[in-house]
Structure formats: structure tokens, C-alpha cells
Amino acid sequence: MRRIYRGKTKDVYEDGPYLVFHFKDSILGEDGREDTGGNEVIGERRGKGSAVLDETEFFFRLLERNGIRTHFVERIDKRRARFLKAEKIPLEVIYRELAYGSFLRRYNGWVKELTPLGIVEFTLKDDALKDPLITEEAIVRLGIASEGEVMEMKEKTRIVAEILREFFCSKGLQLVDFKLEFGRRNGKLIVIDELSGDTMRIMRDGKLLSQEKLREVIV
């Protein structure tokens, strides 16, 4: 296999018609503090990569059962899995059920913590620019995605929100927010990358669930 990408939380290898993701034990944060929305590696936690893969496998299979296509194929071992190749769209599609994290910081004084939102935002996936917000019109004008693709990504993200909301509600938990990435495969949009405690926030009784506690929910 040939490594084609070395990232903060995973390495990606080319394996014939597939990609193999190797999930690392990296912890993300900002200014030395752990934060799933952070862009800096601030340390490692043993078993973190395995937990992320456990969650990604579970949630991608949950989406597939509910009609949302992903690129997940199969698990190889504790920290590696095989995925379909897709043309990656350089966007993060963020669903915000409640006001929290960077949304609060961005609109300080205009919104209270945990205010219901139910909105979809787009950010440009570019670490050098710190993943800035991008408008739907700019996405189209810059040739990142077509207007139809933007609408489809929003629609699929809202469907994913419904699936996750129903699942977490059945466990007595509250969905706060999550982010998705999309790719093109055979002319169709599919969900790619991962869906885990690194890409979502979940609460129980007003407190964020740790990666370990989220893992316990799905095993």
C-alpha cells in the first residue's frame, strides 16, 4: 500500500480500488485544551484511534441502514478500515442543533448557550486558512460544488441529523452538533471521512459526553 495522506488524526493509504484509513491516538484541541473542533494535535490517548473507528463504523452503518450512502466498506483491525475511493469536496458541512462552541464565540452576545438552532453551515476545509466559513454562493462561484450539490449536501445533512437525533434520544442523550464531509462517486454524492466523537458533540444532562462515554453508548 502507498501512503497518500498524513493527517493529524489518521493516515490514508491507497489499496487498489480502495483507501485504507489508519486512525491515530491523537487528541485535538486549541491553545493546549482538548476540543473536538480544534485544529491542533495536543497529545495522545491510548485507544483513541480504535474508539474513533468503532464509532465511525457504527454510525456509517446506521446511516446506510437509513438510506444515506457512505464510503465505508469494512474493518480490517482495531485501527484500520477500508473505504471506497471518492472525489473529495473540500468542505465541512456542519449541522448545529444547539448553539455551542465556536458558534457561541462567533456570535458572542447575540445567542445564549444551547439555544435551539437547527441550521447547516459550510466551512472551507483548509488548515492554512483555519477552515473559514464560506457562503453557499461563494461555494458555487469558486467552482467547489454546483448549486444542486450544495442543496443536496444540506438536505442529506438534515436527514443525518434526524437519524442521529432519533438514535441519541432513544439513549436519553442530546445531539448538539456534528460535521460531515462529502465526496463524488460515479456522479453521486456520498458521505465520506468519519463520523465519531471527533466530529460530533453529544450531551447527557447538560454535560458533554467524553469519547469513552460515547463509545459505551454504541457497544
Side-chain angles (χ1 to χ4, degrees):
M1 291 188 297
R2 180 174 66 93
R3 188 171 65 190
I4 58 174
Y5 173 76
R6 185 171 188 172
K8 296 184 290 291
T9 60
K10 59 182 169 292
D11 290 339
V12 180
Y13 297 83
E14 192 173 42
D15 183 21
Y18 302 105
L19 298 175
V20 171
F21 288 7
H22 180 262
F23 292 87
K24 303 178 181 181
D25 288 341
S26 306
I27 301 171
L28 296 180
E30 291 285 351
D31 301 321
R33 294 178 299 179
E34 185 172 353
D35 181 355
T36 57
N39 277 322
E40 302 172 8
V41 175
I42 63 169
E44 290 188 352
R45 182 182 301 120
R46 187 175 181 180
K48 169 74 183 308
S50 177
V52 169
L53 180 50
D54 284 347
E55 292 155 9
T56 293
E57 179 180 14
F58 176 86
F59 288 116
F60 273 7
R61 291 194 185 282
L62 177 65
L63 297 191
E64 292 274 4
R65 291 197 300 271
N66 285 274
I68 297 294
R69 193 163 170 234
T70 77
H71 73 153
F72 183 83
V73 177
E74 61 184 354
R75 188 170 190 144
I76 299 171
D77 55 31
K78 286 186 177 181
R79 292 203 293 172
R80 294 185 303 156
R82 190 169 283 115
F83 296 82
L84 295 170
K85 288 182 178 179
E87 179 190 354
K88 191 171 185 177
I89 299 174
L91 296 170
E92 290 184 344
V93 188
I94 303 169
Y95 179 83
R96 297 189 182 277
E97 181 87 339
L98 305 175
Y100 201 80
S102 62
F103 191 88
L104 286 177
R105 295 191 293 272
R106 192 190 316 146
Y107 303 117
N108 182 34
W110 288 87
V111 63
K112 294 181 179 179
E113 185 173 283
L114 305 183
T115 296
L117 297 174
I119 63 174
V120 177
E121 296 182 324
F122 290 89
T123 64
L124 181 64
K125 193 169 175 61
D126 187 324
D127 284 349
L129 298 177
K130 297 186 177 180
D131 301 337
L133 279 172
I134 185 168
T135 66
E136 295 173 24
E137 288 182 304
I139 292 170
V140 176
R141 185 57 63 90
L142 295 178
I144 296 169
S146 69
E147 186 175 351
E149 287 175 327
V150 170
M151 293 301 103
E152 185 177 347
M153 284 187 279
K154 287 181 68 175
E155 180 182 0
K156 288 184 182 297
T157 298
R158 290 190 180 280
I159 294 172
V160 171
E162 291 178 9
I163 295 167
L164 295 180
R165 187 187 302 118
E166 180 178 348
F167 171 76
F168 287 121
C169 184
S170 73
K171 303 293 184 179
L173 302 173
Q174 171 69 58
L175 173 66
V176 178
D177 54 29
F178 65 87
K179 62 183 176 182
L180 297 176
E181 293 185 33
F182 288 87
R184 303 179 184 96
R185 181 173 171 82
N186 299 325
K188 296 183 178 180
L189 293 183
I190 60 174
V191 176
I192 64 170
D193 198 56
E194 68 179 79
L195 186 55
S196 71
D198 271 356
T199 62
M200 67 172 73
R201 291 188 182 100
I202 309 299
M203 282 187 169
R204 175 185 284 136
D205 300 326
K207 295 183 179 180
L208 285 179
L209 236 60
S210 66
Q211 185 98 42
E212 292 78 12
K213 292 297 183 181
L214 178 60
R215 191 184 196 180
E216 290 175 7
V217 170
I218 65 172
V219 296

